[in-house]
Amino acid sequence: MLKAIINPRKLQARIVAVYLGLLAIIQLTSYWFIEDTVDRNARDSISTELRTGERVFSRLLQQNTSSLEQATKVLAADYGFRSAISSADRETLQSALQNHGERINAGVAIYTNANFEVLASTATDPRPFGAAVQRYARQSLSGGTQANQVEVINGQPYQIVAVPVRAPLLIGWVGMGFPIGDALLKELRYLSELDSVLMLRSPRGEWTVSQGSFDPALWKPVVASWQNPVRTDADSLDPTLMVAGQEYSAHPVILPGAPGQPPVTALLMRSVDKALQPFAALKLTLFLLSLVGVAAFGVGGYVTARRITTPIRQLAGLARRLERGDYGAEVKVPSQDEIGDLAQSFEAMRQAIQAREGQIRRLAYEDALTELPNREQFRHDLRQAIERNQQEGQPCAVLLLDMDRFKHVNDVLGHRFGDEVLRAVAHRLRHEALDEECVLARLSGDEFAVLLPLTGVTQARDVAARVQQSFERPIRLDEHTVDLGAGIGIACCPDHGREADQLLSRAEVAMYAAKQQQAGTVVYHPGLDSTSEESLTLLSELRYAVDHNQLRLFLQPKVNLRTGQVIGAEALVRWEHPERGLVPPMRFIPFAEQTGFISTLTHWMLEQCAQAAAHLAAEGFPLKLSVNLSTRDLMDQDLPTRMEQLLATQRVPSNTLVLEITESAIMDDPQRALQTLGRLHAMGLRLSIDDFGTGYSSLAYLKRLPVDELKIDKSFVMNMESDLQDAKIVRSTIDLAHNLGLSVVAEGVENAKSWKLLSGLSCDEGQGYFIARPMPAAQFLHWVRHWQPPDTTDEWLSTEFAAMI
């Protein structure tokens, strides 16, 4: 029995452990809470005592000052004392000061003439006291002294009072000094039960104790702990000190010094250990109660665990019988609680398992959404077809198709509608595009596969054409019309492989090639795999190029077509490969877009452009630089955040950078693209639509895009001086942009006539080989400094073109 209790793998042991664990957590939490509350309350009480002690200490100082001032005034008004002053009787003055000072317990008494020359004093060395009286007297004459002002004389703090002697004019000063010492600190301890020390600080910053209410042997430890306190209360600035192994809460009281004199710090201290000592008995009681609670909970947990686990063990035995396939034994446990409900559930499960086994077997090989064979069933059928090929020499083919724009349908119309579209596609393929002997399966998502028995490459192409034709008609569901297409890959046995997974893999390679090339249908050939291997090598080399500074920033200038002034440039990237030389952008940019590496290239371009813009601005040429964004960049929701960090790091204005986007990039996912563009525009970045006029939805989205300029595609600009239709398209585009408040950039300015015609059509900016070819960024500044606009005055335009201007 004890073994069952201590075995952590048993439910009974875990129940007992839960009971005891919860109790321990509650008790520890309560103990911690009480401990924390006691400690916090005790410290709050100590803080209150320290501030009360501060008021008591201030009151004692005020009383001493008042007594000293009153006694000094009495002496200054004494007739005999004034007579002695008149007769210049120094012995009588000395005696009067001595007697009066002893009567009020003053540490020193002194008399000076009106020029503060000491005539009589009870001090051995009257000079520092005479100086203190002089300071006090001048403060009194100029507006009064500070409350509780203290003078430090010979390492001893004093309260100084000076009273003028008039007859009737000012003839001298009587000064009294009261040492702040052991008597005052003992009285403070008697009234407030606080320990205290008076600390002085030397000009070099060293602290010393001049007087204290406890053992002088502890004065140095107090100073050491004061300089390095255990902690400091952030609210009250009261430090916690460790002195001789005891914790003290301390409160400094700064006593103002006379001008030019260092202040005296009175450190009031209260022992935290003594304050917490009355609570020690309470903590012990709580600990004993916790032990009793743990014992009681342990016994209760054991009894409860026994009542729960006994019928569960019986059900476990019955479950093992069901595991062996023995469904004849009725499950019965005599219990009316939840265990009884569990037993009834076991019985219902026993009755349902056999019926469900058949259903589970069917679901394992069937797609629940379309009721088509799933991937596992398709692989099984494909293996059988391959075996027939090996035995009888009968060919077979696999068609793998993936739908275009299905993700957009899911995002816009929802997954429920997407499921309906998948069912409709399956129905159309099954009943309109495929023959009875074809096996249609849904592999995953919007990916379908077709097994064509007794079919070679030519017949497979015909079937693929019928499938493509079936997608030409839109699908109408719930008042929505959906246009879908598909990329289809074909692989045949034995031409392309003799294993099921190999054929599927190669059909998939062909399908991806069809989607990338927008070719509709592609039959697998070995070149597709070699391209894939080359792509892996190219991706590795491209990563290496970024990390090892093989990329180069090139800039192609943009000029104002009306003034000829250089106003910016388009940033381009070149790859200076150590073996292949200068790799053209079209060799690696499309590949980077396909693999997603374009985001890394874009980030490199943005950093280089920001640095180049900052350098140009520092040289006196604040130009704007344009960077192209890809589809993947627009889908990256973190791009605006990275742009903010880049602009802040490089310290360039946001309107220095122009981000160029194509219409096709926007159309891949318009909602996400608009969201990203909106955030970039709100940051102050300029946005430009590149290759405007070549997309299929330009006007539909132009009014919604937060753009600043349009770039007319060079296909319209390069022939406009000889093709009137192109010139009209350019003029219409410029008018459209200006009516929308946008600026216009013309690409492909190849000759002076194009320049003159574009300028006449009010095009804002131009870019092309006539102005300058792309050049390394290091040469751009030199080119800008020596740029001279061309003179197009003598350029002749035919009548039709001249009439357009």
Side-chain angles (χ1 to χ4, degrees), residues 634 661-663 665-667 670-671 673-675 677-678 681 687-690 692 697-710 740 742:
L634 288 182
I661 51 179
T662 61
E663 300 166 73
I666 298 171
M667 289 307 300
Q671 296 302 321
L674 286 172
Q675 184 179 7
L677 292 175
H681 189 265
L687 302 178
S688 174
I689 296 183
D690 197 11
F692 183 78
S697 321
S698 304
L699 298 179
Y701 281 92
L702 182 58
K703 63 182 181 180
R704 299 173 55 191
L705 294 173
V707 297
D708 302 283
E709 70 178 28
L710 301 183
L740 293 175
L742 308 178

Side-chain angles (χ1 to χ4, degrees), residues 245-259:
Q246 286 198 36
E247 182 179 353
Y248 285 86
S249 282
H251 179 66
V253 179
I254 308 300
L255 303 180

Side-chain angles (χ1 to χ4, degrees), residues 200-309:
L200 307 179
R201 193 170 189 178
S202 68
R204 293 182 299 174
E206 297 175 352
W207 290 91
T208 58
V209 176
S210 67
Q211 194 59 258
S213 64
F214 46 78
D215 189 352
L218 300 178
W219 291 0
K220 286 187 177 181
V222 168
V223 171
S225 185
W226 163 255
Q227 293 175 326
N228 296 284
V230 177
R231 66 180 184 184
T232 300
D233 189 337
D235 295 329
S236 63
L237 300 179
D238 290 345
T240 298
L241 313 180
M242 291 298 297
V243 180
Q246 286 198 36
E247 182 179 353
Y248 285 86
S249 282
H251 179 66
V253 179
I254 308 300
L255 303 180
Q261 286 280 309
V264 177
T265 299
L267 192 62
L268 310 183
M269 303 170 60
R270 180 73 163 90
S271 172
V272 178
D273 297 334
K274 290 182 180 179
L276 294 175
Q277 190 171 4
F279 301 100
L282 174 61
K283 294 179 182 178
L284 178 61
T285 302
L286 290 175
F287 178 73
L288 294 176
L289 289 176
S290 298
L291 292 180
V292 173
V294 168
F297 265 67
V299 173
Y302 170 73
V303 173
T304 302
R306 284 276 295 174
R307 294 183 61 184
I308 294 175
T309 56

Side-chain angles (χ1 to χ4, degrees), residues 210-531:
S210 67
Q211 194 59 258
S213 64
F214 46 78
D215 189 352
L218 300 178
W219 291 0
K220 286 187 177 181
V222 168
V223 171
S225 185
W226 163 255
Q227 293 175 326
N228 296 284
V230 177
R231 66 180 184 184
T232 300
D233 189 337
D235 295 329
S236 63
L237 300 179
D238 290 345
T240 298
L241 313 180
M242 291 298 297
V243 180
Q246 286 198 36
E247 182 179 353
Y248 285 86
S249 282
H251 179 66
V253 179
I254 308 300
L255 303 180
Q261 286 280 309
V264 177
T265 299
L267 192 62
L268 310 183
M269 303 170 60
R270 180 73 163 90
S271 172
V272 178
D273 297 334
K274 290 182 180 179
L276 294 175
Q277 190 171 4
F279 301 100
L282 174 61
K283 294 179 182 178
L284 178 61
T285 302
L286 290 175
F287 178 73
L288 294 176
L289 289 176
S290 298
L291 292 180
V292 173
V294 168
F297 265 67
V299 173
Y302 170 73
V303 173
T304 302
R306 284 276 295 174
R307 294 183 61 184
I308 294 175
T309 56
T310 299
I312 289 178
R313 282 196 294 270
Q314 296 176 6
L315 289 176
L318 294 172
R320 284 190 289 271
R321 293 180 63 180
L322 294 177
E323 179 186 9
R324 294 192 295 268
D326 182 6
Y327 303 112
E330 182 182 359
V331 179
K332 183 179 293 186
V333 173
S335 179
Q336 301 299 321
D337 53 14
E338 288 82 357
I339 303 298
D341 295 339
L342 180 61
Q344 294 178 13
S345 299
F346 263 80
E347 175 62 17
M349 179 182 66
R350 181 189 66 82
Q351 296 174 5
I353 283 178
Q354 193 168 14
R356 292 179 182 174
E357 278 187 344
Q359 183 180 3
I360 291 173
R361 189 175 293 109
R362 179 177 61 83
L363 292 175
Y365 297 97
E366 182 180 287
D367 177 55
L369 179 64
T370 60
E371 298 183 353
L372 295 175
N374 61 11
R375 180 182 291 272
E376 191 60 34
Q377 181 64 49
F378 186 81
R379 291 175 69 251
H380 174 74
D381 294 341
L382 180 57
R383 281 194 294 266
Q384 289 185 334
I386 293 172
E387 288 177 4
R388 285 196 298 271
N389 169 263
Q390 294 174 348
Q391 296 171 2
E392 305 173 11
Q394 298 176 350
C396 65
V398 174
L399 270 64
L400 206 64
L401 63 95
D402 186 89
M403 289 187 290
D404 300 328
R405 299 183 295 279
F406 179 74
K407 179 181 181 297
H408 181 64
V409 172
N410 252 350
D411 292 342
V412 174
L413 300 177
H415 291 281
R416 186 193 65 80
F417 187 84
D419 291 345
E420 293 297 329
V421 171
L422 291 175
R423 293 191 188 96
V425 169
H427 183 273
R428 180 174 293 186
L429 292 175
R430 177 75 274 171
H431 295 90
E432 299 181 16
L434 303 176
D435 299 329
E436 289 290 335
E437 63 272 13
C438 299
V439 177
L440 174 64
R442 179 182 176 229
L443 303 189
S444 64
D446 59 342
E447 190 174 82
F448 291 85
V450 181
L451 173 61
L452 305 175
L454 306 176
T455 303
V457 173
T458 302
Q459 296 92 336
R461 283 184 180 273
D462 294 338
V463 175
R466 293 204 305 270
V467 171
Q468 292 284 9
Q469 188 177 3
S470 71
F471 279 104
E472 292 180 0
R473 291 185 294 107
I475 296 175
R476 292 180 174 84
L477 291 172
D478 297 340
E479 300 180 356
H480 293 285
T481 300
V482 180
D483 288 310
L484 294 175
I488 301 177
I490 300 176
C492 295
C493 173
D495 298 342
H496 304 138
R498 296 179 181 272
E499 295 181 0
D501 290 339
Q502 186 181 45
L503 280 177
L504 281 172
S505 175
R506 291 181 171 178
E508 186 175 24
V509 169
M511 179 195 72
Y512 283 127
K515 291 180 71 68
Q516 291 174 3
Q517 300 169 12
Q518 297 183 351
T521 301
V522 170
V523 178
Y524 171 81
H525 58 86
L528 296 177
D529 276 343
S530 64
T531 301

Side-chain angles (χ1 to χ4, degrees), residues 552-554 570-574 600-610 626-628 646:
R552 300 291 180 264
L553 179 67
F554 274 56
E570 180 177 1
L572 305 169
V573 63
R574 299 290 186 267
T600 302
L601 291 182
T602 301
H603 185 67
W604 182 89
M605 288 285 289
L606 290 170
E607 281 190 342
Q608 295 296 315
C609 284
S626 302
V627 182
N628 287 282
L646 176 63

Side-chain angles (χ1 to χ4, degrees), residues 2 98 179 364 524 622:
L2 180 61
Q98 186 76 31
Y524 171 81

